[in-house]
Amino acid sequence: MIGQDGVKEQLHSILAEALADRELARRGRPIAKTSRKYAFIGGPGTGKSHAVQVLADALHAAGAIDSARVVLAHRSSVTDGHQTGATTAAVFESARRGVLAIDIDDLTHAPFGFEALNTLGDLIEARPGRVVVLCGTVDVVRRLLAT
């Protein structure tokens, strides 16, 4: 990643936390099993998806997740009319060993988009230890976090 110093600093911080957790586990110490939730913010073409893959690779190398696989979810993959909750849950489960990245820009404007986001929020709380990245523009992320 050329440039993007702020992104690199955040990735190093996340990796340091994962390595500290691994060391605590190695020593038999308890680790808080919380979900790793992140928001990657930027316009189209700014490298959010690439940064998610770098994050997945780093967390996998640190032993924090079982796989470096990234599941990229968009509106069409998590909204399904009458079955949005089930569809969102299936996508969430498909990323259980790796990282789930969700493009929230088009999701917040879609029918059933907020249902998908609510389902996702419930799943994150119910299943600690998952890595979820919300990807979007500044305005959309701010609006979402304000709700």
Side-chain angles (χ1 to χ4, degrees):
M1 296 177 72
I2 298 172
Q4 309 251 352
D5 292 336
V7 173
K8 287 188 252 187
E9 287 176 23
Q10 288 298 314
L11 288 172
H12 284 290
S13 175
I14 293 166
L15 181 57
E17 180 183 344
L19 290 170
D21 285 350
R22 184 175 75 178
E23 181 61 20
L24 287 171
R26 188 186 70 75
R27 293 179 183 199
R29 294 290 191 63
I31 301 169
K33 194 76 166 170
T34 60
S35 296
R36 297 178 189 269
K37 302 167 280 207
Y38 308 103
F40 286 11
I41 302 169
T46 57
K48 296 181 297 292
S49 296
H50 178 70
V52 171
Q53 187 60 62
V54 171
L55 172 67
D57 291 340
L59 289 174
H60 180 251
I65 56 177
D66 295 333
S67 169
R69 179 173 175 255
V70 174
V71 174
L72 294 171
H74 300 275
R75 174 184 53 191
S76 61
S77 57
V78 295
T79 59
D80 187 19
H82 301 293
Q83 304 212 352
T84 293
T87 303
T88 302
V91 170
F92 184 83
E93 287 305 316
S94 74
R96 73 182 172 279
R97 300 177 56 125
V99 175
L100 174 61
I102 300 181
D103 179 352
I104 61 171
D105 282 347
D106 63 344
L107 193 57
T108 56
H109 297 96
F112 304 103
F114 281 103
E115 180 184 346
L117 289 169
N118 287 333
T119 300
L120 179 64
D122 292 344
L123 291 167
I124 290 169
E125 294 305 317
R127 294 177 177 89
R130 301 295 179 89
V131 180
V132 178
V133 181
L134 301 178
C135 299
T137 59
V138 173
D139 292 341
V140 171
V141 172
R142 280 187 184 149
R143 262 196 329 254
L144 178 65
L145 295 177
T147 59

